[in-house]
């Protein structure tokens, strides 16, 4: 194929991407306010186990939530609903990151509790379909990925606000080979997208007595999109004069997070999607690993709660799935309770988790047969919870 034909084809694809993004911006502009869960007759929580270790750790979190919310469930105020079709097999069978009927089921819920899903990648031998996570965040417009990390004895108390629908992820599955030699991917930043994640981060900071928000980009190199992200965050910051804003490049931030003298000063980190992905894994490592970290994916209409990690196929292949740490999903459950207005219950579950993982440590999870199984550990959390009354 000659170069001008290649170029025309590439430009056509690029045009399509931009047209879709223009529509997305209009959608963002016309969105209403956040759901008021207190005004709903019933809150429906859809549960997807996912792949790999997902079903095991999701079942643990569901059991604990069902215990905590038992009265609400019997009163018909909360319903747990199984959503079975978000498995890798079913996604491959439909050739889609989220099959249409599964997406319709998800959209009929208010909240989703989701186990990790396996993402095939180029050369893995599996069809190279888009990540179900990324698709769900986009389809439900879950723009804020909120990832707390806490290590009290080291003075670490961070809350990471990762933009969740834009950046390198917005059209991550829509890059293409222009010729045999040239490949392109795209990163996208919009004013609406940056503003809404900044607003939620600064709002969290204000409501939680935080005094500092750190913006993390590579605006020295990725000048336009990261540059705009910074500008939009600073504009939002003007409405929060009591909060100090500082800027970091993502590379030095990864270094500073291992600097024990400086890292305790960080409070709220606000980042574009890809940097948020990378830095949240690093941050979670100080807390005991990604298996200990959960997150909230929040949008105006829907919210989804999950572990920050993947489905750990290696653990499954090595027969270690039953030793997976349920704490990531249990921490996600804390955030779920808080999000739907059950703050006392959220605090109690967080307290039980702190007792089990930081203080008493009667059982320890090691991810292998040297430690407790998922079930043993979640039973321990449940017993601790019951003892708190
Ligand atoms: C996360 C995960 C996902 C991501 C993967 C599974 C697609 O790493 O939630 O951080 O990159 O966002
Ligand atoms: Mg990640």
């Amino acid at each position: 194929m000659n170069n001008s034909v290649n170029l025309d084809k590439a430009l056509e694809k690029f045009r399509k991407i931009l047209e879709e993004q223009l529509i997305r911006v209009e959608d963002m502009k016309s969105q209403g306010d956040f759901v008021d869960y207190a005004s709903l007759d019933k809150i429906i929580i859809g549960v997807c186990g996912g792949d790999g270790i997902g079903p095991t750790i999701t079942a643990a979190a569901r059991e604990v939530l069902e215990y905590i919310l038992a009265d609400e469930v019997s009163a018909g105020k909360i319903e747990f609903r199984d959503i079975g079709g978000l498995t890798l097999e079913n996604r491959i069978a439909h050739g889609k990151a989220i099959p249409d009927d599964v997406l319709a089921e998800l959209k009929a819920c208010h909240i989703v509790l989701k186990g990790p899903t396996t993402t095939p990648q180029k050369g893995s031998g599996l069809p190279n379909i888009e990540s179900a996570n990324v698709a769900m965040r986009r389809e439900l417009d879950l723009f804020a990925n909120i990832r707390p990390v806490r290590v009290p004895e080291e003075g670490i108390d961070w809350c990471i606000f990762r933009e969740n629908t834009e950046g390198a992820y917005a059209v991550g599955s829509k890059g293409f080979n222009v010729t045999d030699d040239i490949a392109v991917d795209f990163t996208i930043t919009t004013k609406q997208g940056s503003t809404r994640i900044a607003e939620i981060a600064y709002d969290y900071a204000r409501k939680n007595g935080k005094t500092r928000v750190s913006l993390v980009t590579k605006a020295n190199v990725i000048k336009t999109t990261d540059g705009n992200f910074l500008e939009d965050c600073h504009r939002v910051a003007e409405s929060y004069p009591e909060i100090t804003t500082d800027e970091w490049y993502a590379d030095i931030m990864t270094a500073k997070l291992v600097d024990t003298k400086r890292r305790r000063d960080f409070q709220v980190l606000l980042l574009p999607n890809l940097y948020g992905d990378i830095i949240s894994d690093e941050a979670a490592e100080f807390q005991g690993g990604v298996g200990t970290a959960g997150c909230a994916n929040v949008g105006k209409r829907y919210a989804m709660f999950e572990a920050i990690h993947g489905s750990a196929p290696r653990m499954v292949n090595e027969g270690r799935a039953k030793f997976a740490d349920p704490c990531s999903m249990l921490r996600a459950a804390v955030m779920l309770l808080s999000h739907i207005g059950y703050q006392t219950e959220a605090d109690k579950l967080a307290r039980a988790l702190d007792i089990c993982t930081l203080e008493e440590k009667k059982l320890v999870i090691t991810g292998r047969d040297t430690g407790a199984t998922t079930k043993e550990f979640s039973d321990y959390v449940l017993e601790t919870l019951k003892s708190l009354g």
Side-chain angles (χ1 to χ4, degrees):
M1 215 185 286
N2 70 37
N3 279 345
S4 75
V5 173
N6 282 327
L7 200 57
D8 285 343
K9 286 198 156 177
L11 290 174
E12 190 45 45
K13 286 185 181 158
F14 186 43
R15 181 182 191 88
K16 202 155 169 270
I17 287 172
L18 293 182
E19 281 169 354
E20 284 166 7
Q21 292 305 309
L22 288 168
I23 294 172
R24 195 172 67 81
V25 166
E26 291 311 312
D27 286 349
M28 280 191 277
K29 284 185 188 165
S30 64
Q31 265 178 1
D33 215 345
F34 286 95
V35 174
D36 173 14
Y37 296 98
S39 72
L40 300 175
D41 292 337
K42 183 198 258 190
I43 301 173
I44 302 171
I45 304 176
V47 183
C48 308
D51 307 309
I53 60 169
T56 314
I57 59 176
T58 308
R62 178 180 180 157
E63 191 187 350
V64 169
L65 279 173
E66 281 185 327
Y67 166 74
I68 295 173
L69 297 170
D71 289 348
E72 276 68 18
V73 171
S74 357
K77 283 163 79 181
I78 289 186
E79 177 189 331
F80 285 89
R81 195 178 278 182
D82 271 312
I83 299 182
L86 201 74
T87 58
L88 183 60
E89 296 72 24
N90 197 39
R91 281 162 17 232
I92 288 177
H94 287 82
K96 277 200 152 174
I98 306 180
D100 295 342
D101 54 338
V102 179
L103 186 59
E105 285 180 69
L106 289 167
K107 286 188 170 172
C109 301
H110 303 96
I111 299 288
V112 180
L113 178 70
K114 182 190 132 312
T117 49
T118 302
T119 307
Q121 69 173 38
K122 197 172 179 203
S124 66
L126 295 171
N128 193 11
I129 46 176
E130 190 187 21
S131 146
N133 267 29
V134 174
M136 197 184 297
R137 292 166 185 167
R138 185 186 57 241
E139 294 294 338
L140 304 184
D141 201 21
L142 307 172
F143 62 86
N145 194 324
I146 308 168
R147 304 187 152 185
V149 169
R150 220 163 42 88
V151 190
E153 72 269 26
E154 291 183 28
I156 292 176
D157 187 1
W158 301 326
C159 197
I160 297 174
F161 283 79
R162 164 186 178 189
E163 198 294 317
N164 214 25
T165 50
E166 304 202 334
Y169 283 65
V171 287
S173 60
K174 293 193 174 169
F176 49 83
N177 295 303
V178 180
T179 66
D180 287 345
D181 303 314
I182 304 175
V184 286
D185 272 307
F186 303 98
T187 187
I188 291 167
T189 298
T190 68
K191 185 185 273 178
Q192 289 69 24
S194 304
T195 303
R196 62 187 187 173
I197 183 70
E199 282 172 351
I200 206 169
Y202 278 91
D203 216 46
Y204 164 88
R206 172 170 284 169
K207 288 189 181 134
N208 291 277
K210 307 286 179 193
T211 53
R212 182 175 178 199
V213 172
S214 303
L215 311 178
V216 186
T217 68
K218 276 295 286 183
N220 51 339
V221 179
I222 319 289
K223 291 182 183 291
T224 307
T225 47
D226 280 1
N228 285 4
F229 182 86
L230 279 185
E231 253 173 42
D232 293 330
C233 290
H234 281 298
R235 203 184 48 256
V236 169
E238 284 168 17
S239 305
Y240 298 81
E242 78 279 19
I243 295 168
T244 305
T245 299
D246 53 19
E247 287 181 19
W248 297 80
Y249 295 132
D251 48 354
I252 189 64
M253 178 53 85
T254 62
K256 282 297 141 197
L257 289 188
V258 291
D259 177 341
T260 50
K261 287 193 289 295
R262 298 291 300 281
R263 67 181 179 192
R264 55 179 61 215
D265 298 335
F266 294 120
Q267 300 179 11
V268 175
L269 304 187
L270 170 53
L271 324 82
N273 212 335
L274 182 58
Y275 314 130
D277 176 47
I278 295 165
I279 286 197
S280 56
D281 271 19
E282 186 197 7
E285 198 62 25
F286 306 121
Q287 179 183 273
V290 290
T292 64
C295 68
N297 295 259
V298 174
K300 295 258 166 94
R301 177 134 179 232
Y302 300 102
M304 182 264 281
F305 298 83
E306 60 175 350
I308 77 158
H309 57 77
S311 59
R314 194 177 311 149
M315 284 190 81
V316 179
N317 291 340
E318 294 171 5
R320 296 189 284 115
K322 64 176 185 195
F323 298 107
D325 193 343
C327 288
S328 54
M329 290 301 291
L330 290 167
R331 292 279 176 194
V334 171
M335 300 182 85
L336 186 159
L337 289 167
S338 166
H339 187 75
I340 60 173
Y342 289 83
Q343 192 56 46
T344 312
E345 291 77 0
D347 291 342
K348 207 188 267 183
L349 178 55
R351 180 76 200 111
L353 283 167
D354 281 355
I355 293 172
C356 296
T357 60
L358 302 172
E359 297 167 21
E360 208 180 65
K361 298 190 216 173
K362 273 198 206 152
L363 292 180
V364 180
I365 287 271
T366 60
R368 44 193 79 237
D369 61 8
T370 50
T373 63
T374 311
K375 178 79 180 115
E376 284 162 355
F377 198 84
S378 63
D379 284 348
Y380 172 36
V381 174
L382 208 48
E383 286 316 308
T384 308
L385 195 60
K386 288 179 185 167
S387 74
L388 293 175

